[in-house]
Amino acid sequence: MTGGGVAAMVISDEANPLLPMAYDIAWSGVLLALAAIGVVALVSVARARGVDRERRMLWTLAVVLLPVLGAIGWFSSDTRREARARRRDARISSP
């Protein structure tokens, strides 16, 4: 330490005052992206035709209680694929 004491340690030319703000912005972006994924998953569950009501309620609970894992589970589930296949088959078989 040279002549400046504690004040020289707190305020130095080497410190970057913008670094903490960059972390806040990055974390805010991550949280915003996770919230968007959860909202998209909830809308997708709500619009899923061909899925019975009980399964939709369970998926809604999963997405709300476990936002990231529930959304990933919904988008990768067989339930979603089965509903899409049922809709496609119904369209093909209808006159």
Side-chain angles (χ1 to χ4, degrees):
M1 213 177 323
T2 59
V6 175
M9 288 176 53
V10 174
I11 301 173
S12 71
D13 292 334
E14 298 171 13
N16 184 354
L18 297 178
L19 189 60
M21 185 172 43
Y23 282 123
D24 288 342
I25 291 171
W27 279 112
S28 297
V30 168
L31 291 176
L32 185 64
L34 292 176
I37 289 170
V39 169
V40 169
L42 284 173
V43 169
S44 177
V45 169
R47 295 181 67 180
R49 291 176 290 178
V51 178
D52 59 350
R53 185 179 175 150
E54 292 81 20
R55 274 187 149 176
R56 271 200 305 232
M57 290 301 287
L58 288 173
W59 277 113
T60 301
L61 283 174
V63 171
V64 168
L65 296 177
L66 304 167
V68 176
L69 294 177
I72 290 171
W74 168 251
F75 289 125
S76 63
S77 73
D78 288 335
T79 304
R80 189 167 177 237
R81 284 187 216 109
E82 289 171 7
R84 197 175 316 140
R86 272 188 245 132
R87 278 198 320 266
R88 185 176 50 243
D89 291 344
R91 242 188 333 231
I92 292 172
S93 64
S94 66

